[in-house]
Amino acid sequence: MLKRQKKYIDRIDHLVLTVSSIEKTCNFYSTALGMDVITFDGDRKALLFGTQKINLHQKGKEYEPKAKYPTPGSADLCFVTSLPIAEVSAHLRSLGVHVIEGPVSRVGALGNMTSLYVRDPDMNLIEVAKYDSI
């Protein structure tokens, strides 16, 4: 009989992006992806969406503790949308955001999805995906 491993993690609360420009990053994520820009702990910035957030660290001015090698442009992130991918694609293109791939079929944590890919101002790979049956 298999013994089930105790689950210690329930979900992601936040992650950190090290960026070249907090202002450009906030503008891209709020305009292109509809995330809310919030200020916390005085002057720190974060991007809020759903029940998660992305804390932003300015390259060279990172908060401690931090990743061993914080580097702009090293992330590959997937965000889930409930909107039709064609609508998201049209919105991004209307803003001049280049869709580098998609729509394409992918498999996410919860099953099959349709995705498109763009890059943020630091050249992080950003996937926007809609689950096919959720």
Side-chain angles (χ1 to χ4, degrees):
M1 181 171 173
L2 282 174
K3 183 177 179 186
R4 295 209 65 182
Q5 181 87 11
K6 184 173 182 178
K7 306 297 181 202
Y8 292 94
I9 304 299
D10 295 327
R11 64 182 174 86
I12 292 175
D13 180 80
H14 71 276
L15 57 90
V16 175
L17 278 181
T18 301
V19 301
S20 299
S21 168
I22 299 262
E23 183 180 344
K24 286 180 184 176
T25 299
C26 289
N27 185 53
F28 174 82
Y29 283 89
S30 64
T31 304
L33 301 178
M35 294 183 185
D36 294 320
V37 177
I38 62 168
T39 303
F40 68 104
D41 284 349
D43 64 346
R44 293 185 65 183
K45 297 289 186 193
L47 305 164
L48 187 65
F49 59 101
T51 60
Q52 296 83 38
K53 71 175 182 159
I54 300 172
N55 291 343
L56 301 176
H57 286 190
Q58 179 72 44
K59 175 67 177 161
K61 298 178 183 176
E62 297 88 357
Y63 295 93
E64 296 292 342
K66 64 180 184 285
K68 181 125 178 135
Y69 305 107
T71 306
S74 63
D76 182 339
L77 305 171
C78 178
F79 299 109
V80 176
T81 183
S82 58
L83 298 174
I85 284 295
E87 183 177 330
V88 175
S89 179
H91 168 70
L92 292 169
R93 291 175 197 274
S94 77
L95 296 172
V97 176
H98 176 65
V99 175
I100 59 175
E101 186 174 346
V104 293
S105 295
R106 296 290 189 251
V107 177
L110 301 176
N112 295 329
M113 57 191 191
T114 302
S115 299
L116 60 84
Y117 295 85
V118 299
R119 294 206 182 268
D120 76 2
D122 284 305
M123 303 307 286
N124 291 302
L125 183 63
I126 305 301
E127 178 180 359
V128 179
K130 180 175 187 332
Y131 276 98
D132 296 345
S133 61
I134 295 177

